[in-house]
Structures are given as C-alpha cells and as structure tokens.
C-alpha cells in the first residue's frame, strides 16, 4: 500500500478504521506518545528537537559509527552527520576516531547528553503516571502483556531493561 500525501485523496477503505482494532489503538497511542514526548521536552526546557532527543536515546547503549546511527534512526548518513554536528555543538555528543578504524567517525553521549536523556525519560514517566492515575484497577488487565509483546516485536527494550542500559552507558 502506498501512502498518499493528500489525506483527502485516500480511499474510504484506507480512511476508515483499520481492520485490526489493536493496530488502530496503537496508531492512536502513538499520537499520544509523540505529544507526551514533545511536552516533556518543553517542560524540562531541553534545547533539542524530538529527533535530536531520539538520537541521544539511540546512543545510550554506547558509541556508534555515524553510518550505523543513521541506519538505526532510519535516515541518510548525511542527515545523521548534521544531527551529530548540532549535538556536538550543544555539548551532548562527542565525536572521535578509533585507532583501528580511522575512516569512520564515532559518536557517543557526553555526561551532559546522558543526564539530559535521563531527565527527559523521567519527566515522560511522571507525565504518563499522572495521565494514567485515574484508571480503574481492572482496566489494564492484559494490556501490559500486549504492550510488552509489541515492544519485543519492535526490538525495543522494556522500561526496566532500558534504565539498566542507561545506568551502564558509556559517556565520552
């Protein structure tokens, strides 16, 4: 299926509810999560865009070659290079070469970059906790298992595993 650039040109089949209600709920949830991410970045007064923050999050496991970072972000190498240039100027990322492979540029979080990621993720967690505080106790039965399955299918870590990785992350 090709995504049309003009939403009004979409067929009724595509414009309607998805055949899979779970997928439709995840699409709606993704809109909520983007809004939460944007609000929390604004709340902590982070001088980074959402894409720059995502770049910092992807660097949590450790330094990456710029070409590998581009693949993880789903962008061209030149885009990742410009993104890293901006993050280096902000003191959130450090660039270096490795003696064994001086052809490739490597980038990794600085202490300030790691702290910003931790602050942003904590703010996001607090906002989600406030948002969900009024849910009835039985309202989330089975939801956690379904979300963990989605995380696994996407190759994403659970929150606890992510925080352990963050705590162990190497800074430049």
């Amino acid at each position: 299926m090709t995504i049309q650039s003009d939403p009004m040109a979409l067929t009724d089949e595509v414009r309607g509810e998805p055949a899979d209600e779970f997928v439709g709920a995840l699409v709606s949830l993704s809109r909520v999560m983007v809004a939460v991410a944007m609000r929390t970045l604004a709340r902590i007064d982070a001088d980074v865009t959402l894409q720059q923050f995502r770049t910092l999050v992807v660097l949590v496991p450790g330094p990456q070659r710029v070409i590998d970072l581009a693949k993880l972000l789903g962008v061209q190498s030149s885009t990742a290079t410009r993104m890293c240039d901006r993050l280096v100027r902000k003191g959130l990322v450090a660039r270096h070469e490795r003696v064994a492979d001086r052809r490739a540029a490597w980038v990794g979080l600085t202490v300030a970059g790691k702290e910003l990621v931790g602050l942003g993720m904590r703010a996001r967690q607090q906002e989600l906790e406030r948002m969900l505080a009024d849910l009835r106790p039985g309202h989330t039965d089975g939801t956690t298992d379904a979300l963990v399955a989605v995380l696994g299918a996407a190759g994403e870590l659970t929150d606890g595993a992510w925080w352990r990785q963050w705590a162990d992350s190497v800074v430049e």
Side-chain angles (χ1 to χ4, degrees):
M1 176 177 85
T2 302
I3 302 294
Q4 304 267 337
S5 60
D6 178 8
M8 298 310 290
L10 296 175
T11 65
D12 288 340
E13 174 186 309
V14 175
R15 249 193 319 229
E17 286 295 314
D20 185 331
E21 190 175 351
F22 186 66
V23 170
L26 287 176
V27 169
S28 298
L29 182 60
S30 73
R31 290 192 304 269
V32 170
M33 297 308 294
V34 168
V36 167
M38 296 292 289
R39 283 193 304 269
T40 55
L41 286 178
R43 194 172 90 218
I44 65 171
D45 200 24
D47 183 27
V48 294
T49 65
L50 191 55
Q51 186 64 21
Q52 288 171 344
F53 189 79
R54 177 70 183 141
T55 300
L56 297 174
V57 169
V58 169
L59 289 172
V60 163
Q64 299 279 326
R65 294 184 312 161
V66 173
I67 192 166
D68 296 329
L69 178 63
K71 287 178 187 172
L72 290 169
L73 294 171
V75 299
Q76 298 294 320
S77 292
S78 60
T79 301
T81 298
R82 287 190 303 276
M83 179 88 62
C84 290
D85 289 344
R86 289 181 190 104
L87 292 169
V88 166
R89 284 193 298 271
K90 293 177 182 193
L92 302 172
V93 166
R95 179 180 277 119
H96 66 276
E97 294 177 350
R98 295 211 169 156
V99 177
D101 184 9
R102 295 189 350 218
R103 296 171 295 152
W106 287 74
V107 291
L109 293 175
T110 61
V111 171
K114 179 180 177 179
E115 288 174 357
L116 179 64
V117 170
L119 186 62
M121 296 303 276
R122 278 189 213 81
R124 191 175 302 177
Q125 182 177 7
Q126 290 168 353
E127 180 159 345
L128 289 169
E129 286 171 352
R130 278 193 301 276
M131 187 185 303
L132 301 174
D134 294 334
L135 283 181
R136 293 181 308 277
H139 199 72
T140 59
D141 290 348
T143 305
T144 301
D145 291 340
L147 290 175
V148 169
V150 170
L151 291 173
E156 186 63 48
L157 298 174
T158 61
D159 195 48
W162 187 89
W163 278 108
R164 285 188 294 280
Q165 191 176 62
W166 179 85
D168 295 338
S169 64
V170 177
V171 294
E172 296 295 309

